[in-house]
Amino acid sequence: MFGFVGVAGLVLGLAGMRNFLPALDGSDRWYYTIQLFVLGSDPLQPPHEPLPWQLQAARFLAPLFTLAAVAETGRVLLAGEMRRLRSRTARRHAVVCGDTPFAEALAAQLFATGERVVVVRRAPIRAFELRHRRMLGVSGDARSPEVLRAAGLRRARYLYICGDDDEFNHAVSVTAGTELQMLRTSPWIFVQLNRQQTCHLLQARRLGAAGSNRFRLDYFHVDDVAARMLYRLNPLHPPASDGPPVRLLISGDGSFPRVLLVETARYWRSVGGRPDQLEIDLIGADAGRTLATLLARFPFLASACQVRAHNELLETWLPRITRPARYDRIHLCHRDEPRMLDLALASTELWQAVADAVYVATYQATALAEAFHGGEHNDLLDEVGGKLRVYPIITRACDARLIADDLTERLARRFHQRYLETARGAASPSSAVAWAQLSESMRNANRAQVQGIAAKMQKLGCVIAVRNGEDGLITEQELEELAELEHRRWCEERAGQGWRHAETRDERRRRHPDLVAWKDLGETGRQKAREAVRYMTEMLADEGFTIVRLNEPIRATTG
């Protein structure tokens, strides 16, 4: 419409000038017509006779075009400042920092779910790039406090730090922590790390410091999130009691095969599968060492399924696969993605040897995955009868719900599940529900129990570390001390919710008989606290962590 008004004003102006002043030559006619766009034309000031209808129309269309051009120019010039103002005043939004494809995909996913998003990146944001009111942006270095303030950090709900350099991500998290340290409520901070091993190590350090500050912070790696999403989208079901076991093949190198193996075992245990109902062949040049490392770090792995390691390449393993349907699923997770894709597309042995599908995990071939699985009537490529699935790790990891399901959340959920299993009939009606139906105050109580682990460890002179085959042993005296600390923490948390001591429990009036000092607590209440401590060490081991004393007693040696 903007262009139509301008062209119509020019054409009608030229035609009207030709009729009104036929003596004018071409250049003068163009000159006086262009003057209409600046709110006046000399031959028409003032008009001495009726003007042609073309010129009458041009007298209004040309100034209208000029006013619209001025308004549009002002909007373009002020778009950045207006976007920055809306970002600074946004509330309950998500801030995504980073110039990576993952940050871009995550912002798009958050926007698609209805979140208001503020993107922070170094690259300049073009005037018309973010035109929706729920998608805002700030250009600048996220390590700067001024840039984070411009993104409305102090009023945000979530902060996702997704740079391509871990040092940059750490720097942004430190800046954010400084900005948020005095707030009563602050956003949850999720920091992406690009090395899976480093991510696991820093999760241990964060768990040990969870009670020292007010805000939630956790580290995540795309492999962990993508592996969990794999079974959300493609669940495995245990077979019938007399049916054959489920058989999987995981082949590859890098971090994703290791993460996938652990997540498969964890998922299988969660759906109630028996260890003898799941058999996994791990194929790779260093598969034996990989499996030994995982068994030392995650003790539940040996009891959740049966895993066999084979130190060879997939090409030499393929001819020995028996048919039909030797495996239910095959996962290819190689760092050499072009070779892996060519193998998956060319190897008929793979297609014939799998009952469900061959899953090809890729970081780069996102567009190829869309070509294979674009939609019900929009697939550009044949999926070999549904037996070939290209799994884009980066895209699948962009799930805000799974990223928010961080280590603290998972441990809190397990604490609640244990409460449901042990309390049974004694559980209160408000808390005897699944985690999804639990009130936010009760969820926070479970999260506080997780965050209290750090204080207990410090009291004993211990820290949480990555497990390497051995668990720190807690003596009976230390168990008693930790149980007393846990009871004291529980009493403080309950008192903060308005609960008081009474001889009988009253859910409505918030009364509980165990709200007393440890010395006055009965044996039943003490045993609950001891079991909570024992379960804490079990949960840590399942996540690959253990308790380490900083000052081990020196044992005397005899010569």
Side-chain angles (χ1 to χ4, degrees), residues 462-534:
C462 299
V463 296
I464 299 172
V466 171
R467 189 177 186 273
N468 288 309
E470 295 184 359
D471 288 319
L473 298 178
I474 299 178
T475 65
E476 288 299 320
Q477 180 181 353
E478 291 170 337
L479 176 63
E480 201 71 8
E481 292 180 16
L482 290 176
E484 182 177 353
L485 288 172
E486 170 58 22
H487 176 70
R488 186 185 306 168
R489 183 209 62 80
W490 177 81
C491 289
E492 293 174 353
E493 186 270 327
R494 291 284 86 186
Q497 297 291 330
W499 287 73
R500 297 294 181 267
H501 172 261
E503 293 300 324
T504 58
R505 180 169 179 169
D506 189 330
E507 188 77 13
R508 184 179 61 83
R509 298 176 58 232
R510 297 190 177 187
R511 299 292 185 266
H512 202 290
D514 289 346
L515 284 170
V516 294
W518 179 260
K519 61 183 180 63
D520 301 321
L521 185 64
E523 185 58 29
T524 302
R526 293 190 176 196
Q527 191 61 27
K528 288 181 182 178
R530 296 185 191 111
E531 289 300 322
V533 173
R534 293 191 183 99

Side-chain angles (χ1 to χ4, degrees), residues 197-379:
Q197 174 73 3
T198 304
C199 180
H200 199 214
L201 292 169
L202 291 184
Q203 282 179 336
R205 301 278 49 80
R206 177 57 190 168
L207 187 61
S212 63
N213 47 60
R214 293 178 179 270
F215 59 87
R216 282 274 300 274
L217 181 146
D218 193 47
Y219 298 92
F220 73 94
H221 191 274
V222 294
D223 287 353
D224 297 322
V225 184
R228 281 184 280 155
M229 177 56 76
L230 177 64
Y231 288 108
R232 291 281 186 96
L233 299 175
N234 309 280
L236 273 177
H237 302 289
S241 58
D242 57 346
V246 175
R247 301 175 185 273
L248 304 182
L249 184 148
I250 300 177
S251 172
D253 46 21
S255 62
F256 191 70
R258 299 194 296 266
V259 172
L260 181 60
L261 176 59
V262 175
E263 185 57 33
T264 301
R266 187 176 284 129
Y267 171 83
W268 190 254
R269 186 177 61 173
S270 70
V271 298
R274 298 199 315 265
D276 60 337
Q277 293 179 317
L278 178 62
E279 298 179 0
I280 302 176
D281 283 323
L282 184 63
I283 309 297
D286 205 18
R289 182 181 301 179
T290 298
L291 179 59
T293 301
L294 294 177
L295 290 172
R297 180 163 299 175
F298 301 97
F300 78 92
L301 187 59
S303 60
C305 57
Q306 299 177 9
V307 186
R308 296 180 293 266
H310 306 275
N311 295 323
E312 54 185 303
L313 298 179
L314 180 63
E315 289 85 342
T316 61
W317 179 259
L318 281 178
R320 297 204 300 273
I321 298 179
T322 58
R323 299 175 182 79
R326 172 62 176 83
Y327 293 102
D328 291 271
R329 291 183 182 178
I330 294 177
H331 296 277
L332 304 183
C333 321
H334 296 261
R335 283 180 288 194
D336 188 354
E337 294 190 8
R339 184 183 68 84
M340 176 182 62
L341 287 168
D342 289 346
L343 177 65
L345 292 170
S347 178
T348 58
E349 293 93 342
L350 284 175
W351 308 343
Q352 297 169 347
V354 68
D356 180 10
V358 178
Y359 289 83
V360 183
T362 174
Y363 294 95
Q364 302 170 1
T366 302
L368 182 62
E370 287 294 323
F372 270 106
H373 324 297
E376 183 178 357
H377 302 292
N378 195 34
D379 293 345

Side-chain angles (χ1 to χ4, degrees), residues 10 58 86 116 140-141 146 178 190 220 239 277 283 302 327 384 387 397 407 425 433 438 459 469 487-488 492 555:
L10 182 63
R86 293 204 306 270
R116 194 175 193 184
D141 192 335
E146 291 77 12
T178 304
F190 304 103
F220 73 94
Q277 293 179 317
I283 309 297
Y327 293 102
V384 194
K387 288 197 171 186
L407 181 59
V433 294
L438 200 63
K459 186 72 174 179
H487 176 70
R488 186 185 306 168
E492 293 174 353
R555 297 178 175 86

